[in-house]
Amino acid sequence: QKEVEQDPGPLSVPEGAIVSLNCTYSNSAFQYFMWYRQYSRKGPELLMYTYSSGNKEDGRFTAQVDKSSKYISLFIRDSQPSDSATYLCAMSAPDSSYKLIFGSGTRLLVRP
Amino acid sequence: DADVTQTPRNRITKTGKRIMLECSQTKGHDRMYWYRQDPGLGLQLIYYSFDVKDINKGEISDGYSVSRQAQAKFSLSLESAIPNQTALYFCATSDSRDRDLTDTQYFGPGTRLTVL
C-alpha cells in the first residue's frame, strides 16, 4: 500500500463548479501538507501549504487537513478552464521535512 | 527569468549512452533534488543534496549519479541509459532556513528523456 493515495481521475466538471480533490495517507507523523498544480509539460508549482490540521484559504482555493482521519482536501470554488491541470498532494514529517511524499496526482478538466 | 532552469528540455538517446541533465537555480536555496515522474506513479526522489559536500541517495538511485558543482548547480547523470529510464525528470530546490514554509520545494520545468 502506498503511503499517500490519490484518485488519478480524470475529473471533468463544468465551469463554475466546486471541485473537491482528496488524498489519504497512512503515516501519522506527517505534519506538513502541500498541494501542487502541474500543467501539461510543465513542472509542479506550489499552490497551497498547510501545517498540521485545519483549513487554509487563498482566493478560490481552500486546503483542509483532517489528521484524525489522515485525509486532506483541496477545494476549488468557481472553477475555471484555466484550472485544468494535474493536482498533486505532497506531505512530509518534521524529522525529515525535506522528504516529500507525493500522491500520484489527479487530473482535472474544467469544461467551458 | 525562471528561478530553476533545466537543460536540455527534451532529449532522445540510445541504450547504453551516457546522459547528463543539468539544473541551475537563482533562488539562493541550499537544498536541491532530482525526481523522476512516470505516469500513474507520481514523483519519485532519485538524489538530494543539502549542500555541495552533502549528497544522499533517494528511493530510486540505482543507475543514476549526481554532482553538486556549486550551491546553484546540481547535475544528474545516467551512466548507461536503458529504456526504462524513459521519464520526465525534475529538479527542485528548497530553503532549509525558511521556517514559514518548511522545506517547501520549487520545481524546474522538467526534462523529457526518451531512451530508445
Side-chain angles (χ1 to χ4, degrees):
Chain A
Q1 186 184 0
K2 293 181 182 177
E3 268 190 293
V4 179
E5 298 277 1
Q6 186 175 6
D7 188 328
L11 180 62
S12 180
V13 300
E15 183 174 353
I18 296 175
V19 176
S20 172
L21 304 167
N22 311 294
C23 288
T24 59
Y25 62 95
S26 56
N27 188 345
S28 58
F30 289 149
Q31 294 274 4
Y32 306 112
F33 303 93
M34 285 141 271
W35 285 96
Y36 284 84
R37 177 175 62 196
Q38 185 176 18
Y39 290 114
S40 182
R41 298 185 178 275
K42 302 282 188 183
E45 57 175 326
L46 181 68
L47 201 57
M48 299 286 283
Y49 175 94
T50 311
Y51 171 68
S52 195
S53 285
N55 291 1
K56 184 174 182 179
E57 190 172 319
D58 184 1
R60 296 185 294 111
F61 299 89
T62 299
Q64 198 171 76
V65 175
D66 182 348
K67 290 190 69 183
S68 61
S69 301
K70 297 191 182 70
Y71 189 87
I72 69 170
S73 300
L74 177 70
F75 298 97
I76 307 174
R77 289 183 300 282
D78 187 25
S79 56
Q80 303 295 308
S82 59
D83 294 327
S84 299
T86 296
Y87 290 80
L88 299 154
C89 63
M91 48 199 80
S92 64
D95 61 347
S96 54
S97 60
Y98 59 91
K99 204 175 224 181
L100 293 187
I101 307 300
F102 285 86
S104 55
T106 298
R107 191 155 66 91
L108 172 66
L109 174 65
V110 181
R111 308 186 306 272
Chain B
D1 286 341
D3 295 321
V4 184
T5 57
Q6 291 184 236
T7 55
R9 295 294 314 279
N10 290 282
R11 182 71 185 266
I12 300 173
T13 190
K14 294 182 178 179
T15 298
K17 293 291 187 181
R18 184 178 187 273
I19 296 295
M20 180 181 285
L21 309 182
E22 298 187 340
C23 176
S24 293
Q25 54 116 345
T26 58
K27 298 182 79 67
H29 289 174
D30 53 339
R31 296 180 171 183
M32 297 187 75
Y33 310 79
W34 275 105
Y35 290 89
R36 68 177 276 173
Q37 187 177 40
D38 298 277
L41 291 180
L43 287 152
Q44 297 175 277
L45 184 62
I46 306 172
Y47 270 94
Y48 59 100
S49 170
F50 286 170
D51 66 34
V52 174
K53 295 180 181 178
D54 187 353
I55 293 178
N56 305 278
K57 292 183 178 180
E59 52 188 315
I60 55 162
S61 58
D62 287 349
Y64 302 95
S65 62
V66 291
S67 173
R68 184 90 183 260
Q69 300 94 325
Q71 188 187 35
K73 295 184 182 295
F74 193 35
S75 60
L76 175 73
S77 293
L78 288 68
E79 296 300 327
S80 180
I82 56 176
N84 77 359
Q85 290 177 313
T86 293
L88 267 173
Y89 289 85
F90 290 102
C91 173
T93 73
S94 72
D95 185 353
S96 66
R97 299 152 296 182
D98 188 342
R99 296 296 174 219
D100 291 331
L101 294 171
T102 302
D103 262 324
T104 301
Q105 293 182 21
Y106 299 87
F107 287 80
T111 294
R112 183 173 295 274
L113 176 66
T114 303
V115 183
L116 302 176

